[in-house]
Coordinates of all heavy atoms in Angstrom, one line a residue:
M807 N 89.0 -130.8 -158.2 CA 88.3 -132.0 -157.8 C 88.8 -132.5 -156.5 O 88.1 -132.9 -155.6 CB 88.4 -133.1 -158.8 CG 87.6 -134.3 -158.5 SD 85.9 -134.2 -158.9 CE 85.4 -135.8 -158.8
T808 N 90.1 -132.4 -156.2 CA 90.8 -132.9 -155.1 C 90.3 -132.1 -153.9 O 90.0 -132.5 -152.8 CB 92.3 -132.9 -155.1 OG1 92.7 -133.7 -156.3 CG2 93.0 -133.5 -153.9
E809 N 90.3 -130.7 -154.2 CA 89.7 -129.8 -153.1 C 88.3 -130.2 -152.7 O 88.0 -130.2 -151.5 CB 89.9 -128.4 -153.4 CG 89.6 -127.5 -152.4 CD 89.8 -126.0 -152.8 OE1 90.9 -125.7 -153.5 OE2 89.0 -125.1 -152.5
S810 N 87.5 -130.5 -153.6 CA 86.1 -130.8 -153.3 C 86.1 -132.1 -152.6 O 85.2 -132.2 -151.6 CB 85.3 -131.0 -154.7 OG 85.2 -129.8 -155.3
L811 N 86.8 -133.1 -152.8 CA 86.9 -134.2 -152.1 C 87.4 -134.0 -150.7 O 86.8 -134.6 -149.7 CB 87.8 -135.4 -152.7 CG 87.2 -136.1 -154.0 CD1 88.2 -137.0 -154.6 CD2 86.0 -136.8 -153.6
G812 N 88.3 -133.2 -150.5 CA 88.8 -132.8 -149.2 C 87.7 -132.2 -148.3 O 87.5 -132.4 -147.2
E813 N 86.9 -131.3 -149.0 CA 85.9 -130.6 -148.3 C 84.8 -131.6 -147.9 O 84.2 -131.6 -146.8 CB 85.2 -129.6 -149.2 CG 86.1 -128.4 -149.5 CD 85.6 -127.4 -150.5 OE1 84.6 -127.6 -151.1 OE2 86.3 -126.4 -150.6
I814 N 84.4 -132.6 -148.8 CA 83.5 -133.6 -148.5 C 83.9 -134.5 -147.3 O 83.2 -134.8 -146.4 CB 83.2 -134.4 -149.7 CG1 82.4 -133.6 -150.9 CG2 82.4 -135.7 -149.4 CD1 82.3 -134.2 -152.1
R815 N 85.2 -134.8 -147.4 CA 85.8 -135.7 -146.3 C 85.7 -134.9 -144.9 O 85.4 -135.5 -143.9 CB 87.2 -136.1 -146.6 CG 87.4 -137.2 -147.7 CD 88.8 -137.7 -147.8 NE 88.9 -138.7 -148.8 CZ 89.5 -138.6 -149.9 NH1 90.2 -137.6 -150.3 NH2 89.5 -139.7 -150.8
A816 N 86.0 -133.6 -145.0 CA 85.9 -132.8 -143.8 C 84.4 -132.7 -143.3 O 84.3 -132.8 -142.0 CB 86.4 -131.4 -144.0
V817 N 83.5 -132.6 -144.1 CA 82.1 -132.5 -143.8 C 81.8 -133.8 -143.2 O 81.0 -133.9 -142.1 CB 81.2 -132.1 -144.9 CG1 79.7 -132.3 -144.5 CG2 81.5 -130.7 -145.2
L818 N 82.1 -135.0 -143.8 CA 81.8 -136.3 -143.3 C 82.4 -136.5 -141.9 O 81.7 -137.1 -141.1 CB 82.3 -137.3 -144.3 CG 81.4 -137.6 -145.6 CD1 82.1 -138.5 -146.5 CD2 80.0 -138.0 -145.3
A819 N 83.6 -136.0 -141.7 CA 84.2 -136.2 -140.4 C 83.5 -135.4 -139.4 O 83.2 -135.9 -138.3 CB 85.7 -135.7 -140.5
L820 N 82.9 -134.2 -139.7 CA 82.2 -133.4 -138.8 C 80.8 -134.2 -138.5 O 80.4 -134.2 -137.3 CB 82.0 -132.0 -139.4 CG 81.1 -131.1 -138.5 CD1 81.7 -130.8 -137.1 CD2 80.8 -129.8 -139.2
V821 N 80.2 -134.6 -139.5 CA 79.0 -135.4 -139.3 C 79.2 -136.6 -138.4 O 78.4 -137.0 -137.5 CB 78.3 -135.8 -140.7 CG1 77.2 -136.8 -140.6 CG2 77.9 -134.6 -141.5
A822 N 80.2 -137.3 -138.7 CA 80.5 -138.6 -137.9 C 80.8 -138.1 -136.4 O 80.2 -138.8 -135.5 CB 81.8 -139.3 -138.4
E823 N 81.5 -137.0 -136.2 CA 81.6 -136.6 -134.8 C 80.4 -136.2 -134.2 O 80.1 -136.5 -133.0 CB 82.6 -135.3 -134.9 CG 82.9 -134.7 -133.5 CD 83.8 -133.6 -133.7 OE1 84.8 -133.6 -134.5 OE2 83.6 -132.5 -133.0
Q824 N 79.5 -135.5 -134.9 CA 78.2 -135.2 -134.3 C 77.2 -136.3 -134.1 O 76.6 -136.4 -133.0 CB 77.5 -134.1 -135.3 CG 78.2 -132.7 -135.3 CD 77.6 -131.9 -136.3 OE1 76.9 -132.3 -137.3 NE2 77.8 -130.5 -136.2
L825 N 77.4 -137.3 -134.9 CA 76.6 -138.6 -134.7 C 77.1 -139.3 -133.5 O 76.3 -139.8 -132.7 CB 76.7 -139.5 -135.9 CG 75.8 -139.0 -137.1 CD1 76.1 -139.8 -138.4 CD2 74.3 -139.2 -136.7
A826 N 78.5 -139.3 -133.3 CA 79.1 -140.0 -132.2 C 78.5 -139.3 -130.8 O 78.2 -139.9 -129.8 CB 80.6 -140.0 -132.2
G827 N 78.5 -137.9 -130.9 CA 78.1 -137.2 -129.8 C 76.6 -137.4 -129.5 O 76.2 -137.6 -128.3
A828 N 75.8 -137.5 -130.6 CA 74.4 -137.9 -130.4 C 74.2 -139.2 -129.8 O 73.4 -139.4 -128.9 CB 73.6 -137.7 -131.7
Q829 N 75.0 -140.1 -130.3 CA 74.9 -141.5 -129.7 C 75.3 -141.6 -128.2 O 74.8 -142.2 -127.4 CB 75.7 -142.5 -130.5 CG 75.5 -144.0 -130.2 CD 76.1 -144.8 -131.3 OE1 77.1 -144.4 -132.0 NE2 75.5 -145.9 -131.6
Q830 N 76.3 -140.8 -127.9 CA 76.7 -140.7 -126.4 C 75.7 -140.1 -125.6 O 75.4 -140.6 -124.5 CB 78.0 -139.9 -126.3 CG 78.6 -139.8 -124.9 CD 79.8 -139.0 -124.9 OE1 80.3 -138.3 -125.8 NE2 80.5 -139.1 -123.7
H831 N 75.1 -139.0 -126.0 CA 74.1 -138.4 -125.2 C 72.8 -139.3 -125.1 O 72.2 -139.3 -124.0 CB 73.6 -137.1 -125.9 CG 74.7 -136.0 -125.7 ND1 75.1 -135.5 -124.5 CD2 75.4 -135.3 -126.6 CE1 76.1 -134.5 -124.7 NE2 76.2 -134.4 -126.0
A832 N 72.5 -140.0 -126.2 CA 71.3 -140.8 -126.1 C 71.6 -142.0 -125.2 O 70.7 -142.5 -124.5 CB 71.0 -141.4 -127.5
G833 N 72.9 -142.4 -125.2 CA 73.2 -143.5 -124.2 C 73.1 -143.1 -122.7 O 72.6 -143.8 -121.9
V834 N 73.4 -141.8 -122.5 CA 73.3 -141.3 -121.2 C 71.8 -141.2 -120.8 O 71.3 -141.5 -119.8 CB 74.0 -139.9 -121.0 CG1 73.6 -139.2 -119.8 CG2 75.5 -140.0 -121.2
A835 N 71.0 -140.8 -121.8 CA 69.6 -140.6 -121.6 C 69.0 -141.9 -121.3 O 68.1 -142.1 -120.4 CB 68.9 -140.0 -122.8
R836 N 69.4 -143.0 -122.1 CA 69.0 -144.4 -121.7 C 69.1 -144.8 -120.4 O 68.3 -145.4 -119.7 CB 69.6 -145.3 -122.8 CG 69.2 -146.8 -122.5 CD 70.2 -147.8 -123.0 NE 70.1 -147.9 -124.5 CZ 71.1 -148.3 -125.3 NH1 72.1 -148.8 -124.7 NH2 71.0 -148.4 -126.5
G837 N 70.4 -144.5 -119.9 CA 70.7 -144.8 -118.5 C 69.9 -144.1 -117.5 O 69.4 -144.7 -116.5
H838 N 69.5 -142.8 -117.8 CA 68.7 -142.1 -116.9 C 67.2 -142.7 -116.9 O 66.6 -142.7 -115.8 CB 68.7 -140.6 -117.2 CG 70.0 -139.9 -116.9 ND1 70.6 -140.0 -115.7 CD2 70.7 -139.1 -117.6 CE1 71.8 -139.3 -115.7 NE2 71.8 -138.7 -116.9
I839 N 66.8 -143.0 -118.1 CA 65.4 -143.6 -118.1 C 65.4 -144.9 -117.3 O 64.5 -145.2 -116.6 CB 65.0 -143.7 -119.6 CG1 64.7 -142.4 -120.2 CG2 63.7 -144.7 -119.7 CD1 64.5 -142.4 -121.7
E840 N 66.4 -145.8 -117.6 CA 66.5 -147.0 -116.9 C 66.5 -146.8 -115.3 O 65.9 -147.5 -114.6 CB 67.7 -147.8 -117.3 CG 67.5 -148.3 -118.7 CD 68.8 -149.0 -119.2 OE1 69.9 -148.9 -118.5 OE2 68.8 -149.5 -120.4
D841 N 67.3 -145.8 -114.9 CA 67.3 -145.5 -113.5 C 66.0 -145.1 -112.9 O 65.5 -145.5 -111.9 CB 68.3 -144.4 -113.2 CG 69.8 -144.8 -113.3 OD1 70.0 -146.1 -113.4 OD2 70.7 -143.9 -113.4
A842 N 65.3 -144.2 -113.7 CA 63.9 -143.7 -113.4 C 62.9 -144.8 -113.2 O 62.2 -144.9 -112.3 CB 63.5 -142.6 -114.3
V843 N 63.0 -145.7 -114.2 CA 62.0 -146.8 -114.3 C 62.3 -147.7 -113.1 O 61.4 -148.2 -112.4 CB 62.2 -147.6 -115.6 CG1 61.4 -149.0 -115.5 CG2 61.6 -146.8 -116.7
G844 N 63.6 -147.9 -112.8 CA 64.0 -148.7 -111.6 C 63.5 -148.2 -110.3 O 62.9 -148.9 -109.5
V845 N 63.7 -146.9 -110.1 CA 63.3 -146.3 -108.9 C 61.7 -146.3 -108.7 O 61.2 -146.6 -107.7 CB 63.7 -144.9 -108.8 CG1 63.0 -144.0 -107.7 CG2 65.3 -144.8 -108.6
L846 N 61.1 -146.0 -109.8 CA 59.6 -145.9 -109.8 C 59.0 -147.3 -109.6 O 58.0 -147.5 -108.9 CB 59.0 -145.3 -111.1 CG 59.3 -143.8 -111.2 CD1 58.9 -143.2 -112.6 CD2 58.5 -143.0 -110.1
T847 N 59.6 -148.3 -110.2 CA 59.2 -149.7 -110.0 C 59.3 -150.1 -108.6 O 58.4 -150.7 -108.0 CB 60.0 -150.6 -111.0 OG1 59.7 -150.2 -112.3 CG2 59.5 -152.1 -110.7
E848 N 60.5 -149.8 -108.0 CA 60.7 -150.1 -106.6 C 59.7 -149.4 -105.7 O 59.2 -150.0 -104.8 CB 62.1 -149.8 -106.2 CG 62.5 -150.3 -104.9 CD 64.0 -149.9 -104.5 OE1 64.8 -150.1 -105.4 OE2 64.2 -149.5 -103.4
L849 N 59.5 -148.1 -106.0 CA 58.5 -147.4 -105.1 C 57.1 -147.9 -105.3 O 56.3 -147.9 -104.4 CB 58.6 -145.9 -105.4 CG 59.8 -145.1 -105.0 CD1 59.9 -143.7 -105.6 CD2 60.0 -145.2 -103.5
G850 N 56.9 -148.4 -106.6 CA 55.5 -148.9 -106.9 C 55.2 -150.2 -106.2 O 54.0 -150.5 -106.0
E851 N 56.2 -150.9 -105.6 CA 56.0 -152.2 -104.9 C 55.2 -151.9 -103.6 O 54.5 -152.8 -103.1 CB 57.2 -152.8 -104.6 CG 58.0 -153.3 -105.8 CD 59.4 -153.9 -105.5 OE1 59.9 -153.8 -104.3 OE2 60.0 -154.4 -106.4
H852 N 55.3 -150.6 -103.1 CA 54.6 -150.2 -101.9 C 53.3 -149.4 -102.2 O 52.9 -148.6 -101.3 CB 55.5 -149.6 -101.0 CG 56.8 -150.3 -100.7 ND1 56.8 -151.5 -100.0 CD2 58.0 -150.1 -101.1 CE1 58.1 -152.0 -100.0 NE2 58.8 -151.2 -100.6
H853 N 52.9 -149.4 -103.4 CA 51.8 -148.5 -103.8 C 50.7 -149.4 -104.5 O 51.1 -150.4 -105.1 CB 52.3 -147.4 -104.7 CG 51.4 -146.3 -104.9 ND1 50.5 -146.3 -105.9 CD2 51.4 -145.2 -104.2 CE1 49.8 -145.1 -105.8 NE2 50.3 -144.4 -104.8
S854 N 49.5 -149.0 -104.5 CA 48.4 -149.8 -105.0 C 48.5 -149.7 -106.5 O 47.8 -150.6 -107.2 CB 47.1 -149.3 -104.5 OG 46.9 -148.0 -104.9
E855 N 49.0 -148.8 -107.1 CA 49.0 -148.6 -108.5 C 50.4 -148.5 -109.1 O 51.3 -148.0 -108.3 CB 48.3 -147.5 -109.1 CG 46.7 -147.6 -108.8 CD 45.9 -146.3 -109.2 OE1 46.5 -145.6 -110.2 OE2 44.9 -146.1 -108.7
P856 N 50.8 -148.9 -110.3 CA 52.1 -148.7 -110.8 C 52.4 -147.2 -111.0 O 51.6 -146.5 -111.3 CB 52.1 -149.4 -112.2 CG 50.7 -149.9 -112.4 CD 49.9 -149.6 -111.3
L857 N 53.7 -146.9 -110.7 CA 54.1 -145.5 -110.7 C 54.8 -145.2 -112.0 O 55.0 -144.0 -112.2 CB 55.0 -145.2 -109.5 CG 54.4 -145.4 -108.1 CD1 55.3 -145.0 -107.1 CD2 53.2 -144.4 -108.0
V858 N 55.2 -146.2 -112.7 CA 55.9 -145.9 -114.0 C 54.8 -145.4 -115.0 O 53.9 -146.2 -115.4 CB 56.7 -147.1 -114.5 CG1 57.4 -146.8 -115.9 CG2 57.7 -147.6 -113.5
P859 N 54.9 -144.2 -115.5 CA 53.9 -143.7 -116.5 C 54.2 -144.4 -117.8 O 55.4 -144.6 -118.2 CB 54.2 -142.2 -116.6 CG 55.6 -142.0 -116.0 CD 55.9 -143.2 -115.2
P860 N 53.1 -144.7 -118.6 CA 53.3 -145.3 -119.9 C 54.1 -144.4 -120.9 O 54.8 -144.9 -121.7 CB 51.9 -145.4 -120.4 CG 50.9 -145.1 -119.4 CD 51.7 -144.4 -118.2
E861 N 54.2 -143.1 -120.6 CA 54.9 -142.2 -121.5 C 56.4 -142.5 -121.3 O 57.2 -142.3 -122.2 CB 54.6 -140.8 -121.1 CG 53.2 -140.3 -121.5 CD 52.2 -140.7 -120.4 OE1 52.6 -141.2 -119.3 OE2 51.0 -140.4 -120.6
L862 N 56.8 -142.9 -120.1 CA 58.2 -143.2 -119.8 C 58.6 -144.5 -120.7 O 59.7 -144.5 -121.3 CB 58.5 -143.4 -118.4 CG 60.0 -143.5 -117.9 CD1 60.7 -142.3 -118.4 CD2 60.0 -143.7 -116.5
A863 N 57.8 -145.5 -120.7 CA 58.1 -146.6 -121.5 C 58.2 -146.3 -123.0 O 59.0 -146.8 -123.7 CB 57.1 -147.7 -121.1
H864 N 57.1 -145.5 -123.3 CA 57.2 -145.1 -124.8 C 58.5 -144.2 -125.1 O 59.0 -144.4 -126.2 CB 55.9 -144.1 -125.0 CG 55.9 -143.7 -126.5 ND1 55.7 -144.5 -127.5 CD2 56.0 -142.4 -126.9 CE1 55.7 -143.7 -128.6 NE2 55.9 -142.5 -128.3
A865 N 58.9 -143.4 -124.2 CA 60.2 -142.6 -124.4 C 61.3 -143.6 -124.6 O 62.2 -143.4 -125.4 CB 60.4 -141.7 -123.2
A866 N 61.4 -144.6 -123.8 CA 62.5 -145.6 -123.8 C 62.4 -146.3 -125.2 O 63.4 -146.5 -125.8 CB 62.3 -146.7 -122.7
D867 N 61.2 -146.6 -125.7 CA 61.1 -147.3 -126.9 C 61.6 -146.4 -128.1 O 62.3 -146.8 -129.0 CB 59.7 -147.7 -127.3 CG 59.2 -148.8 -126.4 OD1 60.1 -149.6 -125.8 OD2 58.0 -149.0 -126.3
V868 N 61.1 -145.1 -128.1 CA 61.6 -144.2 -129.0 C 63.1 -143.9 -129.0 O 63.8 -143.9 -130.1 CB 60.8 -142.8 -128.9 CG1 61.3 -141.7 -129.8 CG2 59.3 -143.0 -129.2
L869 N 63.7 -143.8 -127.8 CA 65.1 -143.7 -127.7 C 65.8 -144.9 -128.3 O 66.9 -144.7 -128.9 CB 65.4 -143.5 -126.2 CG 66.9 -143.2 -125.9 CD1 67.4 -142.0 -126.6 CD2 67.1 -143.1 -124.5
E870 N 65.3 -146.1 -128.1 CA 66.0 -147.2 -128.7 C 66.0 -147.2 -130.2 O 67.0 -147.5 -130.9 CB 65.3 -148.6 -128.1 CG 65.7 -148.9 -126.7 CD 67.2 -148.9 -126.5 OE1 68.0 -149.5 -127.2 OE2 67.7 -148.4 -125.5
R871 N 64.9 -146.9 -130.7 CA 64.7 -146.7 -132.2 C 65.6 -145.7 -132.7 O 66.4 -145.8 -133.7 CB 63.4 -146.4 -132.6 CG 62.4 -147.7 -132.6 CD 61.1 -147.5 -133.3 NE 60.4 -146.3 -132.9 CZ 59.5 -146.2 -131.9 NH1 59.3 -147.4 -131.2 NH2 58.8 -145.1 -131.6
S872 N 65.7 -144.5 -131.9 CA 66.6 -143.4 -132.3 C 68.1 -143.9 -132.3 O 68.9 -143.5 -133.2 CB 66.4 -142.2 -131.4 OG 65.1 -141.8 -131.5
L873 N 68.5 -144.7 -131.3 CA 69.8 -145.2 -131.3 C 70.2 -146.0 -132.4 O 71.3 -146.0 -132.9 CB 70.1 -145.9 -129.9 CG 70.4 -145.0 -128.7 CD1 70.2 -145.8 -127.4 CD2 71.7 -144.4 -128.8
G874 N 69.2 -146.8 -132.8 CA 69.4 -147.6 -134.0 C 69.6 -146.8 -135.3 O 70.4 -147.1 -136.1
L875 N 68.8 -145.7 -135.4 CA 69.0 -144.9 -136.5 C 70.3 -144.0 -136.5 O 70.9 -143.9 -137.6 CB 67.8 -143.8 -136.6 CG 66.4 -144.4 -136.9 CD1 65.3 -143.5 -136.7 CD2 66.4 -145.0 -138.3
I876 N 70.7 -143.7 -135.4 CA 71.9 -143.0 -135.2 C 73.1 -144.0 -135.6 O 74.0 -143.5 -136.4 CB 72.2 -142.4 -133.8 CG1 71.2 -141.3 -133.5 CG2 73.6 -141.9 -133.6 CD1 71.1 -140.9 -132.0
G877 N 73.0 -145.1 -135.2 CA 74.0 -146.1 -135.4 C 74.0 -146.4 -137.0 O 75.1 -146.5 -137.6
A878 N 72.8 -146.5 -137.6 CA 72.8 -146.7 -139.1 C 73.3 -145.6 -139.8 O 74.1 -145.7 -140.8 CB 71.4 -147.0 -139.5
G879 N 73.0 -144.3 -139.3 CA 73.6 -143.2 -140.0 C 75.1 -143.2 -139.9 O 75.8 -142.8 -140.8
S880 N 75.7 -143.5 -138.8 CA 77.1 -143.5 -138.6 C 77.7 -144.5 -139.5 O 78.8 -144.2 -140.1 CB 77.4 -143.9 -137.1 OG 77.0 -142.9 -136.2
Q881 N 77.1 -145.6 -139.7 CA 77.6 -146.7 -140.7 C 77.6 -146.1 -142.0 O 78.6 -146.3 -142.8 CB 76.8 -148.0 -140.5 CG 77.4 -149.1 -141.4 CD 78.8 -149.4 -140.9 OE1 79.2 -149.6 -139.7 NE2 79.8 -149.4 -141.9
V882 N 76.5 -145.5 -142.4 CA 76.4 -144.9 -143.8 C 77.5 -143.9 -144.1 O 78.2 -143.9 -145.1 CB 75.0 -144.4 -144.0 CG1 75.0 -143.5 -145.3 CG2 74.0 -145.5 -144.1
V883 N 77.7 -143.0 -143.0 CA 78.7 -141.9 -143.2 C 80.1 -142.6 -143.3 O 80.9 -142.2 -144.1 CB 78.7 -141.0 -142.0 CG1 79.9 -140.1 -142.0 CG2 77.4 -140.1 -142.1
A884 N 80.3 -143.6 -142.4 CA 81.6 -144.3 -142.5 C 81.8 -144.9 -143.8 O 83.0 -144.9 -144.5 CB 81.8 -145.3 -141.4
D885 N 80.8 -145.5 -144.4 CA 80.9 -146.2 -145.7 C 81.2 -145.2 -146.8 O 82.0 -145.5 -147.7 CB 79.6 -147.0 -146.1 CG 79.4 -148.2 -145.1 OD1 80.4 -148.6 -144.4 OD2 78.3 -148.8 -145.2
I886 N 80.5 -144.1 -146.8 CA 80.7 -143.1 -147.8 C 82.1 -142.6 -147.7 O 82.8 -142.4 -148.8 CB 79.7 -141.9 -147.6 CG1 78.3 -142.3 -147.9 CG2 80.1 -140.7 -148.5 CD1 77.2 -141.3 -147.7
G887 N 82.6 -142.3 -146.5 CA 84.0 -141.9 -146.3 C 85.1 -142.9 -146.8 O 86.0 -142.5 -147.4
A888 N 84.7 -144.2 -146.7 CA 85.7 -145.2 -147.1 C 85.7 -145.2 -148.6 O 86.7 -145.7 -149.2 CB 85.3 -146.5 -146.5
R889 N 84.6 -144.9 -149.2 CA 84.6 -145.0 -150.8 C 85.3 -143.8 -151.4 O 85.6 -143.8 -152.6 CB 83.1 -145.0 -151.2 CG 82.5 -146.3 -150.9 CD 81.0 -146.3 -151.4 NE 80.3 -147.4 -150.8 CZ 79.0 -147.3 -150.6 NH1 78.3 -146.2 -151.0 NH2 78.4 -148.3 -150.0
L890 N 85.5 -142.8 -150.6 CA 86.1 -141.6 -151.2 C 87.6 -141.7 -151.2 O 88.4 -141.7 -150.9 CB 85.7 -140.3 -150.4 CG 84.2 -139.9 -150.5 CD1 84.0 -138.7 -149.7 CD2 83.9 -139.6 -152.0

């Protein structure tokens, strides 16, 4: 039983590490999207139509939801680890 718990803890640690990496990458992506929106918004001030495509705004929304899910998953993994 102890060996099984150790294996579960090791897997949980790996999952936590992967979730932390995903959160970091998503944070970088968020920054890039924000930069792109800023540049396109600024360029759009001199253009007759907005240059920020609706798909970019949608991507930002999906990314924010994804960050929330990653955070929730990280919390669940941490909670399970604490109970073991």
Side-chain angles (χ1 to χ4, degrees):
M807 181 79 165
T808 305
E809 186 175 319
S810 296
L811 283 176
E813 290 172 358
I814 292 171
R815 286 184 178 119
V817 170
L818 285 173
L820 179 61
V821 170
E823 182 181 316
Q824 291 174 340
L825 285 168
Q829 193 164 29
Q830 181 180 11
H831 290 298
V834 170
R836 177 200 290 159
H838 289 311
I839 289 174
E840 289 172 355
D841 290 346
V843 168
V845 168
L846 290 171
T847 299
E848 186 176 322
L849 289 172
E851 291 173 359
H852 307 291
H853 197 271
S854 60
E855 295 181 24
L857 298 179
V858 179
E861 294 85 3
L862 190 56
H864 179 69
D867 291 342
V868 170
L869 184 59
E870 286 304 317
R871 283 195 304 275
S872 298
L873 278 163
L875 292 171
I876 293 168
S880 294
Q881 186 59 52
V882 168
V883 168
D885 290 348
I886 291 170
R889 291 183 196 149
L890 294 179

